[in-house]
Amino acid sequence: MGVKKQNIPDKGAAVEKDMETYTIVPYIPGGLVDPAILRKIADAAEKYQVKFIKMTSEHRIGLYGVKEADIDNIWNDLGMGPGGHIGKCVRAVKFCTGNTVCKKGHQNTMDLGLRIDEAFHRMETPQKVKIALSGCTSSCAESAVRDIGLIGTPMGWKLMVGGTCGLQVRKGKLLAENLSDGQVIDYIGKILDYYKEKGIQKRMGIFIDIIGFDKFSKAILGE
């Protein structure tokens, strides 16, 4: 019996159920694509006989059933990097269309989401960190159940922390509200720095429970 294969984090490849083939998810900030990107993905899928392509729950395009020998060639053909969907790091940011096109949107999720992604994507953290932005309280990006969640209001952004949509669903706690885009970037940076400084190997919500929300809040907000 051969040695079972493992994830290859530096190539963004997650081993699949058969312990032979891999899933790769190209880095597409915010899930925003154009025809050229779609053509590249389709061409690579056909050329390397990828088993199937699927839109992920995080607004990404996953290629499934990739052979290990093809991983490097696929990345070269795509001209894209991994989307950071595995490992202990800040995952690619998820966001709805916000006020760019949605009549309900109060805030520009797309501009801020891309700024957050550029600043923090794939930053190493004690456990994985998921960030989501929703332009209104409909919360189409499921912001309340993410490690860091933002919800747009007419007065600015609500910032929630510690949510998760796992088996034990946790709703994030409100840390601050009526925030500008600049304040959001600043607070996310402080949250991630504090999380890394403490080094507790737990997801954000449990980490906050261990630290205590009041202590966590004071450390981030400086109150």
Side-chain angles (χ1 to χ4, degrees):
M1 182 179 295
V3 177
K4 290 184 179 180
K5 296 181 179 180
Q6 304 293 326
N7 291 342
I8 312 175
D10 61 323
K11 296 184 180 182
V15 70
E16 295 177 342
K17 182 179 179 180
D18 62 8
M19 305 304 290
E20 288 292 333
T21 54
Y22 290 84
T23 298
I24 63 173
V25 180
Y27 178 45
I28 303 175
L32 295 167
V33 297
D34 58 26
I37 290 174
L38 294 175
R39 288 190 189 98
K40 283 185 178 181
I41 291 173
D43 289 346
E46 287 185 344
K47 181 177 179 180
Y48 298 100
Q49 299 180 316
V50 169
K51 187 174 182 180
F52 63 89
I53 306 170
K54 185 184 181 301
M55 302 299 296
T56 75
S57 60
E58 297 296 314
H59 300 169
R60 305 292 176 262
I61 300 176
L63 283 71
Y64 298 80
V66 175
K67 301 178 185 68
E68 183 175 2
D70 293 334
I71 294 172
D72 288 340
N73 291 329
I74 291 176
W75 287 131
N76 288 335
D77 285 6
L78 291 175
M80 303 164 70
H85 70 295
I86 57 175
K88 296 178 181 180
C89 65
V90 177
R91 304 297 174 85
V93 177
K94 179 179 181 179
F95 50 83
C96 68
T97 58
N99 66 8
T100 303
V101 296
C102 180
K103 60 181 178 294
K104 291 184 178 180
H106 296 299
Q107 298 294 326
N108 192 323
T109 55
M110 296 174 71
D111 282 355
L112 182 57
L114 291 172
R115 285 180 62 191
I116 293 170
D117 210 55
E118 182 178 3
F120 304 112
H121 179 235
R122 298 196 75 178
M123 175 187 286
E124 292 185 4
T125 45
Q127 288 291 339
K128 64 183 176 183
V129 174
K130 294 187 175 184
I131 302 175
L133 296 83
S134 300
C136 73
T137 54
S138 292
S139 198
C140 291
E142 302 172 333
S143 301
V145 286
R146 292 294 185 270
D147 298 284
I148 299 174
L150 292 150
I151 297 176
T153 74
M155 301 298 292
W157 293 99
K158 286 187 176 183
L159 173 57
M160 304 179 74
V161 292
T164 182
C165 57
L167 185 61
Q168 298 296 324
V169 178
R170 296 174 60 107
K171 179 181 178 182
K173 295 182 178 180
L174 180 65
L175 181 66
E177 55 188 336
N178 303 334
L179 300 177
S180 66
D181 288 6
Q183 287 175 309
V184 166
I185 296 287
D186 182 53
Y187 284 143
I188 290 177
K190 289 180 178 178
I191 289 168
L192 295 174
D193 285 346
Y194 188 67
Y195 188 34
K196 290 166 61 179
E197 175 191 327
K198 294 301 180 183
I200 297 173
Q201 302 289 312
K202 299 291 184 181
R203 285 291 294 273
M204 185 75 70
I206 298 174
F207 162 71
I208 292 172
D209 286 346
I210 293 170
I211 295 295
F213 183 74
D214 288 344
K215 182 178 178 180
F216 176 84
S217 178
K218 289 177 181 177
I220 306 305
L221 304 179
E223 297 176 353

